[in-house]
Amino acid sequence: MPWYVLYTNPRNEKKVAQRLSEKNIQVFCPVQETIKQWSDRKKKVIEPVFKSYIFVHLNNYETDQVEVLKTQGAVRFLWWMQKPGVVRDSEIEAIKNFLNKYKGATLVANIQEGAMVDITEGALIEQTGRVIKIKGNKAYLHIHSIGWNITAELPLQSLKKQ
């Protein structure tokens, strides 16, 4: 029974996870406690680690996906090479272990425009690209593989400088 990656409406990760749990569907929404600064105060808040993504454990993708996608806030499953993207149990456990061990960890990337990088996670894992532009926490890459030129927008934490 593999885990599948479900894309949710923005800022709906925890709500969708709760709704799926109420339907007795096993779901994992990795969260992290952070401190937010408002003009008059600071407050600890629980935020999803992966914005707009949660993990869903399904027995049979073909039949079980329908009930998941009927859930308010669920948008679509992540696909890779004409198949639903699958996450192994070991990868889910690694995420859980990391979040338990390194509470409050933040990711800092020392990547500049023009740098060659390796993609370390996600649908383009193990691909190489050149950073075209960096905007906030995202890098826009030019990826030349399998004879195609692809431009992809990826989170900085998914990249490793060569």
Side-chain angles (χ1 to χ4, degrees), residues 71-132:
T71 305
Q72 182 184 353
V75 177
R76 62 180 169 78
F77 282 95
L78 182 71
W79 282 64
W80 170 244
M81 298 181 75
Q82 289 91 36
K83 295 181 187 174
V86 174
V87 179
R88 296 183 300 256
D89 284 328
S90 61
E91 294 168 320
I92 296 292
E93 286 304 313
I95 294 168
K96 289 178 181 178
N97 291 337
F98 178 83
L99 293 174
N100 285 333
K101 188 172 184 177
Y102 300 103
K103 298 198 184 299
T106 57
L107 300 168
V108 178
N110 186 20
I111 298 173
Q112 288 98 23
E113 292 178 10
M116 289 299 294
V117 294
D118 294 322
I119 301 170
T120 60
E121 63 185 23
L124 297 171
I125 192 167
E126 298 181 4
Q127 296 295 320
T128 300
R130 181 174 305 282
V131 178
I132 298 169

